[in-house]
Amino acid sequence: MPDSNPQVADAADIRARIDTTKPHSARFWNYFVGGKDNYEVDREIGDQIKEIFPGLVDVAVASRAFLGRAVTHLAGEVGIRQFLDIGTGLPTADNTHQVAQRVAPDARIVYVDNDPIVLAHANALLTSTPEGRTAYLDADLYDPDSVLEAAKGTLDFSQPVALIILNTLGHVADYERARGLVNRLMAGLPSGSHLVISDSTATSEGMIAASEAYNSSGAVPYYVRSVDEIAGFFDGLELVEPGVVQVTAWRAEEGDSVNSKVAVDAYGAVGRKA
């Protein structure tokens, strides 16, 4: 059964915080991966960006596939049974808990977000196998100590945890601040824990133009970074092979739905804390 979680905001508060007049990153991404939880304003900017840079759709789909492969590897090959997913986004197919518990039914997952759109869909995420547990926290990446403390209600911090931060750190404008947040979160996790990160990268003129168009739309800005900056989030960790690569190339297998030979402007990696 899912944990009871008083930190999820009540329905009236959530509705009051939702703004449907401006594009929204979670709804925008949901539109790109074929979801239905988006509004006309999100589809309009999405269609504009598709015209500027159609490859962003590939980034959205490939990033989701990377999540699935990374979680499958950690739950299946490494034996991780605890996952802390920050900046969860809107639920689609193969969310972290679904992938992890398909491999390991006793896996425990904590989702973290403070976005009202995402919180409105929290109930869709609050499902679990009988053997495992799934919880949802209304908490903020900018307050890592509170995130870690709240997660202890579900996760056992004497055992390894996989920290997942996908397509979220780009919202932190200052790179050093973003690194500091990641470092603080990893510092609170035990030896054997893993870090999973992917983000869009400034590796083509099309992606840079798409980022600029999105940031001028009124949505919360998202800053694309260099590959070296993505790699910097893993300083001090042992990179899991093949290291920091395009998300389509991370442990891709023959027959995967996303072609590993497709170049995308998104890089990711998995690192282990010694």
Side-chain angles (χ1 to χ4, degrees), residues 171-196:
H171 289 299
V172 183
D174 183 77
Y175 175 63
E176 291 304 325
R177 185 178 188 188
R179 281 190 58 170
L181 292 170
V182 172
N183 290 343
R184 178 63 196 92
L185 288 163
M186 288 303 297
L189 301 180
S191 175
S193 292
H194 285 66
L195 173 66
V196 182

Side-chain angles (χ1 to χ4, degrees), residues 3 8 10 14 49 79 95 112-113 117 149 162 166 173 181 202 208:
D3 294 341
V8 174
D10 63 55
I14 291 170
I49 290 177
N95 300 290
V112 178
D113 214 302
I117 293 289
E149 188 60 34
L166 298 192
L181 292 170
I208 294 169

Side-chain angles (χ1 to χ4, degrees), residues 112 139-149 177 181 184-185:
V112 178
D140 196 332
L141 170 66
Y142 289 100
D143 189 1
D145 292 334
S146 293
V147 169
L148 293 169
E149 188 60 34
R177 185 178 188 188
L181 292 170
R184 178 63 196 92
L185 288 163

Side-chain angles (χ1 to χ4, degrees), residues 81-258:
R81 292 295 179 265
Q82 304 187 110
F83 296 83
L84 178 58
D85 187 336
I86 298 180
T88 305
L90 288 165
T92 56
D94 283 343
N95 300 290
T96 298
H97 73 284
Q98 293 168 317
V99 177
Q101 292 180 346
R102 194 155 56 228
V103 177
D106 60 336
R108 296 185 173 205
I109 296 87
V110 172
Y111 291 106
V112 178
D113 214 302
N114 72 333
D115 191 294
I117 293 289
V118 177
L119 294 174
H121 292 79
N123 286 338
L125 291 172
L126 283 172
T127 58
S128 177
T129 57
E131 304 95 324
R133 299 177 76 181
T134 304
Y136 202 101
L137 302 179
D138 181 0
D140 196 332
L141 170 66
Y142 289 100
D143 189 1
D145 292 334
S146 293
V147 169
L148 293 169
E149 188 60 34
K152 290 178 181 178
T154 301
L155 306 180
D156 176 4
F157 277 31
S158 71
Q159 299 297 317
V161 175
L163 172 64
I164 300 172
I165 315 177
L166 298 192
N167 306 303
T168 297
L169 291 167
H171 289 299
V172 183
D174 183 77
Y175 175 63
E176 291 304 325
R177 185 178 188 188
R179 281 190 58 170
L181 292 170
V182 172
N183 290 343
R184 178 63 196 92
L185 288 163
M186 288 303 297
L189 301 180
S191 175
S193 292
H194 285 66
L195 173 66
V196 182
I197 286 177
S198 75
D199 263 305
S200 300
T201 49
T203 42
S204 75
E205 292 182 2
M207 175 57 87
I208 294 169
S211 176
E212 291 173 349
Y214 179 78
N215 291 349
S216 66
S217 71
V220 176
Y222 183 97
Y223 303 94
V224 291
R225 295 194 160 105
S226 70
V227 178
D228 285 345
E229 287 175 319
I230 301 300
F233 291 124
F234 295 89
D235 283 354
L237 303 179
E238 301 170 359
L239 282 172
V240 174
E241 290 293 334
V244 181
V245 295
Q246 290 181 340
V247 291
T248 47
W250 198 89
R251 295 189 173 234
E253 297 180 357
E254 199 70 34
D256 283 350
S257 59
V258 179

